[in-house]
Amino acid sequence: MASREARKPRILIAGGGVAGLVLALAAKRRGFEVRVFEKDLSAVRGEGQYRGPIILHGNALAVLAAIDPDVARQVLAAACVTGDRLNGLADGITGDWFIKIDLLTPARKKGLPLTRSICRMTLQDILLKAIGSDTVYNRSKVVDFREHQNKVTVILGDGREYEGDVLVGADGIWSKVRAKLFGWQDAQYSNYTCYSGSVDYVPSYISTVGYRVFVGFNQYFVACDIGCGKMQWYGFHKEPPGSADPPTGKRKRLLELYEGWCSEVVALISRTSESMILRRDLYDRDMIYTWGRGRITLVGDAAHAMQPALGQSGCMAIEDCYQLVLELEKAYVKCDCHDKHADEIALAIASFHRYERKRILRVGIVHAVTRMAARMSSTYRPYLDFGPGCLSFLTNLRIPNPAIYGAQFVVGHIIMPIVMTWMLNGHG
């Protein structure tokens, strides 16, 4: 029988964060019917309040341009360019550079946009306007689903039900869709809590430094230019989950934790008002190598939640969305439709399998490197520690740690250039 064009499926998306909205945009631009269900789209929602701006590297920006050039132009115009300045790791005590990462050269060689930072709410607003308000159902949290022979039904927290052909879980690290697919599994605590703050402050180094990680032992500190005369910072400290702040407040505690650190770190904390300092414990998940079943699959943090150490978590989610829509489009454009229901199931399963196969290796490598980078940032000891005993006096002599300087050469001059170039190489 000659092949004919198949009806493109209705895609149900659980979650209206960055991943869910990018997936909806990509799907609508290719003629799919889409419904997005989000528990809270308000500007004070947890993601926007606690996670601060999102870093978009050239690989993610190139994907946005492929999905919708006009949306990409709006994002580029609203974002702050950081990839044209120095980025990398510095000693938290002295402020001296440990590793400088060149984001400019790889982007130029590949013809990619430069790395930028953008407010999550600004990015969300751009995506929402492009998608259309009729596509996104606010105050609509997906808590369960049922898969049938010829459809899938999502069940919302208030009891409402909606039917579609496929379901994509884009509902983050605590995904209900993932839990229903594979059973509930606890997320893995990173051993770190994260303080974050935004401050109206233009430091003297703003023209030369875009993004800097100040490394230390059992803690590290990140500072990033977010444009409009503002800086965003994050302070990571090793401690048990659920720890409480003292009555004196977060800022006072941070100044105590980072006492003796370089002036760049202390200035950012000191200039931030108490009300602008937020805190959350950091979790990620171990990689899994099956993301779906039948008519259901996962994207972004729902599939592969990772720590924020390299700024690639959101970028990987954007790549996921584009690859998934490409695979669905390939499958549904033309098919031999002998049995409508059987063919639709087969098409969905084949599309999801191809999507997983093309994404898992790349995401798995980024996930592993991200964990490695987070560990390296918080185990930095530039000088030998001889511990207690008869040699303890040698610790005060600040003898350079050869392991640190060996790592500096290997990581800074060999591993990071290769990894950053590869990550910026597009969604593959």
Side-chain angles (χ1 to χ4, degrees):
M1 180 182 292
S3 64
R4 65 182 178 83
E5 187 171 331
R7 178 185 67 86
K8 288 186 177 180
R10 173 186 291 173
I11 303 174
L12 305 181
I13 302 172
V18 172
L21 296 179
V22 170
L23 178 60
L25 179 64
K28 287 196 74 171
R29 291 297 180 264
R30 283 161 176 77
F32 291 92
E33 184 181 351
V34 182
R35 287 182 177 177
V36 180
F37 303 96
E38 167 57 36
K39 63 180 179 181
D40 183 10
L41 281 169
S42 69
V44 294
R45 59 186 249 168
E47 180 176 305
Q49 184 181 14
Y50 286 93
R51 294 179 65 185
I54 183 172
I55 300 296
L56 295 177
H57 291 287
N59 53 310
L61 292 167
V63 168
L64 286 177
I67 292 172
D68 189 317
D70 184 57
V71 165
R73 282 192 290 270
Q74 293 178 56
V75 170
L76 292 176
C80 172
V81 178
T82 58
D84 59 348
R85 288 169 275 172
L86 288 176
N87 295 269
L89 281 67
D91 186 304
I93 304 296
T94 66
D96 295 336
W97 285 100
F98 175 53
I99 297 170
K100 295 179 182 179
I101 300 173
D102 180 10
L103 298 176
L104 180 61
T105 301
R108 282 181 170 172
K109 285 183 178 179
K110 296 294 181 181
L112 297 173
L114 294 177
T115 296
R116 287 163 164 79
S117 64
I118 185 171
C119 170
R120 288 176 183 271
M121 295 300 102
T122 300
L123 178 59
Q124 183 188 49
D125 288 343
I126 292 171
L127 293 170
L128 279 170
K129 289 177 182 177
I131 295 164
S133 58
D134 58 328
T135 299
V136 182
Y137 293 67
N138 194 16
R139 294 182 290 277
S140 302
K141 182 179 181 179
V142 174
V143 296
D144 201 356
F145 65 84
R146 294 191 300 269
E147 187 179 9
H148 313 278
Q149 181 184 5
N150 62 340
K151 64 183 179 181
V152 61
T153 302
V154 296
I155 303 165
L156 306 185
D158 59 8
R160 286 177 293 161
E161 298 185 1
Y162 291 87
E163 296 178 351
D165 297 294
V166 296
L167 168 63
V168 181
D171 46 345
I173 187 171
W174 310 110
S175 170
K176 293 288 187 181
V177 177
R178 174 180 170 133
K180 178 68 180 288
L181 280 173
F182 305 118
W184 177 256
Q185 298 168 326
D186 289 333
Q188 184 168 322
Y189 181 53
S190 68
N191 293 319
Y192 285 84
T193 195
C194 174
Y195 291 89
S196 63
S198 178
V199 57
D200 294 315
Y201 174 50
V202 181
S204 59
Y205 53 80
I206 197 71
S207 62
T208 57
V209 179
Y211 183 96
R212 183 162 38 174
V213 181
F214 297 91
V215 296
F217 187 69
N218 288 338
Q219 62 187 41
Y220 59 106
F221 191 93
V222 177
C224 179
D225 179 18
I226 57 174
C228 301
K230 293 179 178 290
M231 291 288 291
Q232 178 76 31
W233 58 261
Y234 304 89
F236 300 84
H237 183 254
K238 187 175 184 178
E239 59 187 84
S243 301
D245 288 308
T248 51
K250 298 180 180 68
R251 183 171 66 176
K252 187 175 187 302
R253 185 185 186 223
L254 284 165
L255 289 171
E256 292 171 353
L257 289 174
Y258 291 95
E259 184 180 1
W261 279 48
C262 62
S263 60
E264 292 92 333
V265 170
V266 175
L268 286 169
I269 299 172
S270 300
R271 291 172 178 269
T272 307
S273 64
E274 179 71 22
S275 63
M276 293 300 294
I277 301 176
L278 303 167
R279 176 181 178 175
R280 66 187 177 105
D281 292 335
L282 285 181
Y283 292 82
D284 67 2
R285 291 188 182 274
D286 292 334
M287 275 293 296
I288 57 174
Y289 298 93
T290 299
W291 294 347
R293 185 191 69 209
R295 294 173 176 269
I296 301 99
T297 195
L298 307 171
V299 296
D301 282 352
H304 47 74
M306 60 184 72
Q307 296 182 43
L310 294 178
Q312 279 285 349
S313 179
C315 298
M316 290 296 104
I318 291 171
E319 289 186 6
D320 285 351
C321 297
Y322 186 49
Q323 191 69 57
L324 178 56
V325 170
L326 289 181
E327 298 307 326
L328 284 169
E329 186 177 43
K330 289 176 188 175
Y332 280 87
V333 166
K334 291 185 180 296
C335 72
D336 292 319
C337 299
H338 304 289
D339 182 317
K340 179 177 180 294
H341 297 326
D343 285 339
E344 285 187 357
I345 294 171
L347 288 171
I349 293 174
S351 299
F352 293 163
H353 283 176
R354 286 194 303 272
Y355 153 68
E356 288 182 15
R357 189 171 65 249
K358 292 183 178 180
R359 291 296 300 154
I360 280 178
L361 177 60
R362 177 171 168 81
V363 170
I365 293 172
V366 173
H367 185 278
V369 172
T370 296
R371 277 189 171 176
M372 180 186 73
R375 182 174 178 81
M376 185 179 73
S377 298
S378 59
T379 55
Y380 174 79
R381 275 181 162 171
Y383 304 105
L384 291 175
D385 184 352
F386 291 87
C390 62
L391 296 179
S392 60
F393 71 95
L394 292 174
T395 300
N396 296 326
L397 296 180
R398 296 172 71 83
I399 300 172
N401 186 340
I404 287 293
Y405 290 94
Q408 178 179 5
F409 178 82
V410 173
V411 174
H413 296 278
I414 301 175
I415 295 178
M416 287 309 296
I418 294 173
V419 169
M420 294 306 299
T421 299
W422 176 79
M423 284 195 296
L424 290 173
N425 196 32
H427 75 285

